[in-house]
Amino acid sequence: MSEAIGFVPQIFQRFVIDGTYHSARPYGSGHINETFLVTAQANGVARHYIFQHLNASIFPDPHPVMRNIQHVTDHLRKKLAHLSSGERDRRVLTLIPTREGGVLVDDPLLGNWRAYRFIEDAQTFDILETPQQAFEAALAFGTFQHLLSDYDGPPLVETTPDFHHTVKRFQAFQAAVNADPLGRACTMAAEIDFALRHEPLAHTLIDLKASGAIPERITHNDTKLNNVLLDAKTGQGLCVLDLDTVMPGLSLYDFGDMVRSACNPVAEDCPDPSRVIARGDVFEALVAGYLKGTAGALRPIEKDHLLLSGQLLSFECGLRFLTDHLSGDTYFRIHRPSQNLDRGRTQFALVASLEAQCNDFLRFIPRS
């Protein structure tokens, strides 16, 4: 277990929280930051919070990230002003202020920390159980994008430059293969060949954006299924999580990443990629939910590339996992040897499955 959990009692004192510290435990399955569910006791009542220890290698300067999150959540709260305060708190993340008046504990010894109010009676899924869950997640992400379509606050910072620049991701993969610092490339001949054959795919959305055919929007950019909270009782999509990468981007990045995370029927790090067969019923639900959530805002050319975006974002993520495996697993946290290799192979298998079922899946997209 990371030593960060030992810092939580000290960090707790730095936030404005009613009550006394009781306990903390690791929470969620994120690859980047360390997340803990923290329990406080106030007048005999347990209250829960989410504490996150930010990954300093990924976010060396977390202040622009936190400003983005503040701007976005403030805008969302204004857009949802018609709801009761209790309902609004279930649909928008609530940052806990620090005793210094900010929203980030920036400590040279303990690291960078933030805290959110925990949303009760809600859950996330790493692997979805029903197409209805896919619909609700897509609806939530589409609505999130729609609510931000009239954002007029301070410009959002590009917190992770070139995050979905697939051409640069491909180039980074090539560089890692050529450098091969740990001698791992010799075990990846099939994956390297697959990547080289799919290089043209990496250029597709980049070129469309450069031509002006696809507009830039404010997007989430990390629309994994487990970044949406669903109501534990009704199954309704409630709240979009993990706002670190909310910045200007393409709607197709968001949709494609949903396809990548939701249409895969097995765990992301499944050691047997032959089990990866993209689910058509889930893809159909994602299309319906996302189009409903974005409320007619997508251009015909964006809808025409919905399926391709799933192939592209799966390919991109596979490149990233394999690049990290070749480079010594320095970005995505691993819990066993070759976990990033298995993650990359699963993503490439999903690309192949989406390609094989292309004609069937295209039937689920309304004609422009």
Side-chain angles (χ1 to χ4, degrees), residues 330-349:
T330 60
Y331 187 95
F332 297 108
R333 286 188 294 133
I334 61 170
H335 306 286
R336 59 175 173 81
S338 298
Q339 189 171 16
N340 277 326
L341 176 59
D342 288 339
R343 288 167 175 164
R345 286 171 171 166
T346 295
Q347 297 305 310
F348 281 6

Side-chain angles (χ1 to χ4, degrees), residues 253-264:
Y253 293 156
D254 278 5
F255 184 80
D257 208 26
M258 280 189 285
V259 173
R260 181 195 71 78
S261 68
C263 287
N264 179 9

Side-chain angles (χ1 to χ4, degrees), residues 55 107 180 253 319:
N55 188 323
D107 189 289
D180 194 19
Y253 293 156
L319 290 174

Side-chain angles (χ1 to χ4, degrees), residues 183-192 325 341 345:
R184 293 177 172 179
C186 61
T187 66
M188 297 171 52
E191 289 73 35
I192 294 170
H325 174 71
L341 176 59
R345 286 171 171 166

Side-chain angles (χ1 to χ4, degrees), residues 15-331:
F15 287 101
V16 180
I17 295 176
D18 183 26
T20 58
Y21 173 81
H22 180 267
S23 62
R25 64 176 176 84
Y27 188 80
S29 57
H31 297 325
I32 307 300
N33 302 314
E34 295 178 279
T35 302
F36 305 97
L37 178 62
V38 176
T39 301
Q41 292 285 344
N43 299 318
V45 177
R47 296 180 178 175
H48 301 110
Y49 302 88
I50 290 293
F51 277 37
Q52 287 190 308
H53 180 223
L54 303 189
N55 188 323
S57 65
I58 309 303
F59 301 112
D61 181 7
H63 295 278
V65 175
M66 297 309 298
R67 284 194 293 271
N68 274 11
I69 293 174
Q70 283 184 285
H71 296 326
V72 166
T73 53
D74 286 349
H75 180 83
L76 292 174
R77 287 184 176 279
K78 291 176 184 176
K79 296 291 288 187
L80 299 177
H82 60 285
L83 300 177
S84 68
S85 60
E87 182 64 17
R88 198 161 53 245
D89 286 345
R90 286 175 61 76
R91 294 186 176 273
V92 184
L93 290 175
T94 302
L95 285 162
I96 304 299
T98 68
R99 296 191 181 279
E100 292 78 21
V103 292
L104 179 75
V105 171
D106 183 354
D107 189 289
L109 297 178
L110 305 181
N112 298 312
W113 292 78
R114 65 184 171 214
Y116 294 104
R117 183 179 299 165
F118 183 73
I119 299 175
E120 304 283 355
D121 300 318
Q123 56 191 336
T124 62
F125 294 86
D126 291 330
I127 301 176
L128 60 77
E129 298 171 354
T130 68
Q132 184 63 29
Q133 292 171 340
F135 175 86
E136 291 292 342
L139 176 61
F141 278 123
T143 301
F144 178 85
Q145 188 179 121
H146 180 63
L147 291 173
L148 289 171
S149 63
D150 62 350
Y151 174 81
D152 58 358
L156 299 183
V157 176
E158 189 178 10
T159 56
T160 308
D162 299 321
F163 187 61
H164 283 309
H165 198 299
T166 42
V167 174
K168 291 186 178 181
R169 295 293 190 187
F170 184 85
Q171 292 169 346
F173 172 76
Q174 284 185 304
V177 170
N178 292 334
D180 194 19
L182 301 177
R184 293 177 172 179
C186 61
T187 66
M188 297 171 52
E191 289 73 35
I192 294 170
D193 178 68
F194 185 94
L196 293 174
R197 287 188 287 109
H198 283 79
E199 180 184 5
L201 179 62
H203 295 262
T204 312
L205 295 188
I206 295 293
D207 290 350
L208 286 172
K209 177 186 174 184
S211 71
I214 293 180
E216 190 171 71
R217 308 176 186 273
I218 295 177
T219 51
H220 184 278
N221 293 296
D222 191 15
T223 52
K224 299 189 296 288
L225 179 69
N226 59 14
N227 276 337
V228 173
L229 278 177
L230 304 183
D231 188 285
K233 295 179 181 177
T234 67
Q236 181 184 28
L238 283 178
C239 182
V240 171
L241 309 175
D242 194 0
L243 307 183
D244 291 339
T245 54
V246 176
M247 56 187 171
L250 302 182
S251 64
L252 290 170
Y253 293 156
D254 278 5
F255 184 80
D257 208 26
M258 280 189 285
V259 173
R260 181 195 71 78
S261 68
C263 287
N264 179 9
V266 301
E268 186 177 64
D269 60 352
C270 176
D272 180 8
S274 68
R275 295 173 56 197
V276 179
I277 301 175
R279 292 183 55 179
D281 56 344
V282 170
F283 182 81
E284 182 179 18
L286 291 174
V287 170
Y290 194 60
L291 293 182
K292 181 177 181 180
T294 51
L298 298 189
R299 293 181 182 179
I301 193 169
E302 290 175 291
K303 290 191 285 186
D304 290 344
H305 285 79
L306 288 174
L307 177 57
L308 182 140
S309 74
Q311 298 167 2
L312 177 65
L313 269 292
S314 302
F315 181 55
E316 176 198 279
C317 196
L319 290 174
R320 294 176 64 199
F321 284 140
L322 295 176
T323 299
D324 200 32
H325 174 71
L326 287 163
S327 303
D329 306 301
T330 60
Y331 187 95

Side-chain angles (χ1 to χ4, degrees), residues 4-13 21 23-24 36 38 51 113:
I5 195 169
F7 301 152
V8 174
Q10 295 170 264
I11 295 297
F12 181 91
Q13 304 302 325
Y21 173 81
S23 62
F36 305 97
V38 176
F51 277 37
W113 292 78

